[in-house]
Amino acid sequence: MSEFGDRTWAMICYLPVFNFITCVLASVKMVHSKFCLFHARQGLVLFAFWFLTIFVALFSQFLSLILWIVVLVLHAAGFIISLNMQQTELPVVGKLAMRIPAFMLFILLTGKNPEEI
């Protein structure tokens, strides 16, 4: 795939709230791009952080607001990193994301191994 396609798919993995859908699509459509898979995994962790902010809001709106701002800043940082065609791990997010197997979503959604394609 072209650099333009890789960059575009990686960037849309950081669209707040919708990134679950875009990360899943990127994981399937761009399964042979390590660059896209790297950013898709980070995007999935950021999506999970949205749920964390909602859960925290049940106990403390102030803390939830702070977490929400942090998550938005991480989305922006990931977007800029992918725009520059870099594979830099975001703080906290990167370590968690690298624990997700690269082809897990592809195998779960298609039932196939990426090498079969």
Side-chain angles (χ1 to χ4, degrees), residues 17-38:
V17 182
F18 299 106
N19 60 329
F20 178 75
I21 296 167
T22 57
C23 289
V24 169
L25 289 174
S27 295
V28 173
K29 184 157 177 70
M30 303 297 289
V31 70
H32 296 295
S33 170
K34 290 182 182 188
F35 179 74
C36 288
L37 291 177
F38 174 86

Side-chain angles (χ1 to χ4, degrees), residues 42 45-46 49 70 74 77-78 81 88-96:
Q42 288 197 143
V45 172
L46 283 173
F49 280 10
V70 168
L74 289 171
I81 289 167
T88 305
E89 289 185 10
L90 297 172
V92 179
V93 173
K95 297 288 184 215
L96 294 171

Side-chain angles (χ1 to χ4, degrees), residues 28 31-32 106 110 112-117:
V28 173
V31 70
H32 296 295
F106 183 85
T110 65
K112 297 178 183 176
N113 193 336
E115 285 84 33
E116 295 174 6
I117 297 177

